[in-house]
Short mmCIF file of all heavy atoms in Angstrom, two decimals:
data_model
loop_
_atom_site.label_atom_id
_atom_site.label_comp_id
_atom_site.label_asym_id
_atom_site.label_seq_id
_atom_site.Cartn_x
_atom_site.Cartn_y
_atom_site.Cartn_z
N VAL A 5 -10.43 0.64 -85.23
CA VAL A 5 -10.51 0.18 -83.86
C VAL A 5 -11.98 0.17 -83.48
O VAL A 5 -12.69 1.15 -83.68
CB VAL A 5 -9.71 1.11 -82.87
CG1 VAL A 5 -9.93 0.65 -81.44
CG2 VAL A 5 -8.26 1.11 -83.22
N TYR A 61 -1.61 8.76 -70.40
CA TYR A 61 -1.76 7.95 -71.58
C TYR A 61 -0.52 8.01 -72.47
O TYR A 61 -0.10 7.04 -73.05
CB TYR A 61 -3.01 8.41 -72.37
CG TYR A 61 -3.19 7.65 -73.66
CD1 TYR A 61 -3.55 6.30 -73.61
CD2 TYR A 61 -3.00 8.24 -74.89
CE1 TYR A 61 -3.74 5.58 -74.81
CE2 TYR A 61 -3.19 7.54 -76.08
CZ TYR A 61 -3.54 6.22 -76.03
OH TYR A 61 -3.68 5.51 -77.16
N PHE A 64 2.04 5.73 -71.01
CA PHE A 64 1.58 4.38 -71.31
C PHE A 64 1.93 4.03 -72.76
O PHE A 64 2.47 2.93 -73.02
CB PHE A 64 0.08 4.22 -71.09
CG PHE A 64 -0.51 2.97 -71.67
CD1 PHE A 64 -0.35 1.74 -71.02
CD2 PHE A 64 -1.19 2.99 -72.87
CE1 PHE A 64 -0.86 0.57 -71.56
CE2 PHE A 64 -1.71 1.83 -73.42
CZ PHE A 64 -1.56 0.64 -72.78
N SER A 65 1.65 4.94 -73.68
CA SER A 65 1.94 4.70 -75.09
C SER A 65 3.41 4.46 -75.33
O SER A 65 3.81 3.54 -76.04
CB SER A 65 1.49 5.89 -75.95
OG SER A 65 0.08 6.04 -75.89
N ASP A 66 4.25 5.27 -74.69
CA ASP A 66 5.69 5.11 -74.83
C ASP A 66 6.16 3.77 -74.30
O ASP A 66 6.98 3.06 -74.92
CB ASP A 66 6.46 6.23 -74.10
CG ASP A 66 6.28 7.58 -74.76
OD1 ASP A 66 5.85 7.64 -75.95
OD2 ASP A 66 6.55 8.61 -74.08
N TYR A 68 4.37 1.05 -73.91
CA TYR A 68 3.82 -0.01 -74.74
C TYR A 68 4.60 -0.13 -76.05
O TYR A 68 4.93 -1.25 -76.49
CB TYR A 68 2.32 0.25 -75.00
CG TYR A 68 1.67 -0.78 -75.86
CD1 TYR A 68 1.94 -2.14 -75.72
CD2 TYR A 68 0.73 -0.42 -76.82
CE1 TYR A 68 1.33 -3.10 -76.50
CE2 TYR A 68 0.09 -1.34 -77.61
CZ TYR A 68 0.39 -2.71 -77.46
OH TYR A 68 -0.22 -3.64 -78.24
N GLU A 69 4.93 0.98 -76.66
CA GLU A 69 5.76 0.94 -77.86
C GLU A 69 7.09 0.24 -77.61
O GLU A 69 7.59 -0.49 -78.47
CB GLU A 69 5.93 2.33 -78.43
CG GLU A 69 4.69 2.88 -79.09
CD GLU A 69 4.91 4.23 -79.76
OE1 GLU A 69 5.97 4.39 -80.42
OE2 GLU A 69 4.05 5.11 -79.62
N LEU A 72 6.70 -3.37 -77.69
CA LEU A 72 6.52 -3.89 -79.04
C LEU A 72 7.84 -4.13 -79.78
O LEU A 72 7.85 -4.68 -80.87
CB LEU A 72 5.61 -2.96 -79.86
CG LEU A 72 4.16 -2.90 -79.38
CD1 LEU A 72 3.40 -1.80 -80.11
CD2 LEU A 72 3.47 -4.23 -79.54
N LEU A 95 -9.10 -3.77 -85.36
CA LEU A 95 -8.54 -4.13 -84.07
C LEU A 95 -9.65 -4.09 -83.05
O LEU A 95 -10.31 -3.07 -82.89
CB LEU A 95 -7.42 -3.15 -83.69
CG LEU A 95 -6.30 -2.99 -84.69
CD1 LEU A 95 -5.27 -1.94 -84.21
CD2 LEU A 95 -5.59 -4.34 -84.95
N PRO A 102 -11.83 2.96 -76.30
CA PRO A 102 -10.86 2.48 -77.29
C PRO A 102 -9.95 3.54 -77.86
O PRO A 102 -8.83 3.23 -78.29
CB PRO A 102 -11.72 1.83 -78.37
CG PRO A 102 -13.14 2.18 -78.06
CD PRO A 102 -13.21 2.70 -76.70
N ASP A 103 -10.37 4.83 -77.85
CA ASP A 103 -9.56 5.87 -78.40
C ASP A 103 -8.35 6.21 -77.53
O ASP A 103 -7.41 6.85 -77.98
CB ASP A 103 -10.37 7.15 -78.65
CG ASP A 103 -11.39 6.94 -79.75
OD1 ASP A 103 -11.21 6.03 -80.60
OD2 ASP A 103 -12.38 7.69 -79.78
N THR A 104 -8.40 5.79 -76.26
CA THR A 104 -7.26 5.95 -75.37
C THR A 104 -6.84 4.64 -74.76
O THR A 104 -6.69 4.51 -73.57
CB THR A 104 -7.59 6.98 -74.24
OG1 THR A 104 -8.77 6.55 -73.56
CG2 THR A 104 -7.76 8.39 -74.79
N SER A 105 -6.67 3.66 -75.64
CA SER A 105 -6.30 2.33 -75.25
C SER A 105 -5.09 1.89 -76.06
O SER A 105 -4.65 2.57 -76.99
CB SER A 105 -7.46 1.34 -75.48
OG SER A 105 -7.62 1.10 -76.85
N HIS A 106 -4.58 0.73 -75.74
CA HIS A 106 -3.47 0.15 -76.50
C HIS A 106 -3.85 -0.08 -77.95
O HIS A 106 -3.01 -0.02 -78.84
CB HIS A 106 -3.00 -1.14 -75.83
CG HIS A 106 -4.06 -2.20 -75.83
ND1 HIS A 106 -5.19 -2.14 -75.02
CD2 HIS A 106 -4.19 -3.31 -76.58
CE1 HIS A 106 -5.95 -3.19 -75.25
NE2 HIS A 106 -5.38 -3.91 -76.22
N ALA A 107 -5.16 -0.37 -78.22
CA ALA A 107 -5.59 -0.58 -79.60
C ALA A 107 -5.38 0.66 -80.44
O ALA A 107 -5.01 0.57 -81.59
CB ALA A 107 -7.05 -0.99 -79.60
N ALA A 108 -5.58 1.83 -79.86
CA ALA A 108 -5.35 3.07 -80.57
C ALA A 108 -3.84 3.28 -80.86
O ALA A 108 -3.47 3.78 -81.93
CB ALA A 108 -5.88 4.27 -79.78
N VAL A 109 -3.00 2.86 -79.90
CA VAL A 109 -1.55 2.91 -80.14
C VAL A 109 -1.18 2.03 -81.32
O VAL A 109 -0.43 2.44 -82.23
CB VAL A 109 -0.79 2.52 -78.87
CG1 VAL A 109 0.73 2.45 -79.14
CG2 VAL A 109 -1.07 3.44 -77.71
N LEU A 110 -1.70 0.81 -81.33
CA LEU A 110 -1.42 -0.11 -82.42
C LEU A 110 -1.93 0.45 -83.75
O LEU A 110 -1.20 0.36 -84.76
CB LEU A 110 -2.11 -1.47 -82.17
CG LEU A 110 -1.48 -2.39 -81.18
CD1 LEU A 110 -2.37 -3.60 -80.92
CD2 LEU A 110 -0.10 -2.81 -81.66
N ALA A 111 -3.12 1.00 -83.76
CA ALA A 111 -3.67 1.56 -85.02
C ALA A 111 -2.76 2.67 -85.53
O ALA A 111 -2.50 2.71 -86.73
CB ALA A 111 -5.09 2.04 -84.77
N ARG A 112 -2.30 3.52 -84.66
CA ARG A 112 -1.44 4.60 -85.07
C ARG A 112 -0.13 4.05 -85.64
O ARG A 112 0.34 4.49 -86.70
CB ARG A 112 -1.11 5.53 -83.88
CG ARG A 112 -0.17 6.65 -84.25
CD ARG A 112 0.09 7.58 -83.08
NE ARG A 112 0.35 6.97 -81.79
CZ ARG A 112 1.54 6.44 -81.44
NH1 ARG A 112 2.53 6.48 -82.29
NH2 ARG A 112 1.70 5.93 -80.26
N LEU A 113 0.45 3.07 -84.99
CA LEU A 113 1.70 2.49 -85.48
C LEU A 113 1.50 1.80 -86.83
O LEU A 113 2.38 1.89 -87.71
CB LEU A 113 2.27 1.49 -84.47
CG LEU A 113 2.75 2.05 -83.16
CD1 LEU A 113 3.15 0.94 -82.20
CD2 LEU A 113 3.92 3.02 -83.38
N LEU A 114 0.38 1.14 -87.00
CA LEU A 114 0.08 0.48 -88.26
C LEU A 114 -0.18 1.50 -89.37
O LEU A 114 0.26 1.30 -90.50
CB LEU A 114 -1.08 -0.49 -88.10
CG LEU A 114 -0.81 -1.72 -87.26
CD1 LEU A 114 -2.11 -2.37 -86.85
CD2 LEU A 114 0.13 -2.68 -87.97
N ASP A 115 -0.88 2.56 -89.05
CA ASP A 115 -1.21 3.55 -90.05
C ASP A 115 -0.02 4.32 -90.53
O ASP A 115 0.11 4.66 -91.71
CB ASP A 115 -2.28 4.54 -89.51
CG ASP A 115 -3.68 4.00 -89.61
OD1 ASP A 115 -3.94 3.05 -90.38
OD2 ASP A 115 -4.58 4.51 -88.89
#
Side-chain angles (χ1 to χ4, degrees):
V5 175
Y61 178 69
F64 167 77
S65 296
D66 291 343
Y68 180 40
E69 286 185 43
L72 293 171
L95 304 178
D103 293 338
T104 55
S105 72
H106 63 288
V109 175
L110 284 173
R112 178 178 45 80
L113 293 174
L114 291 165
D115 279 341

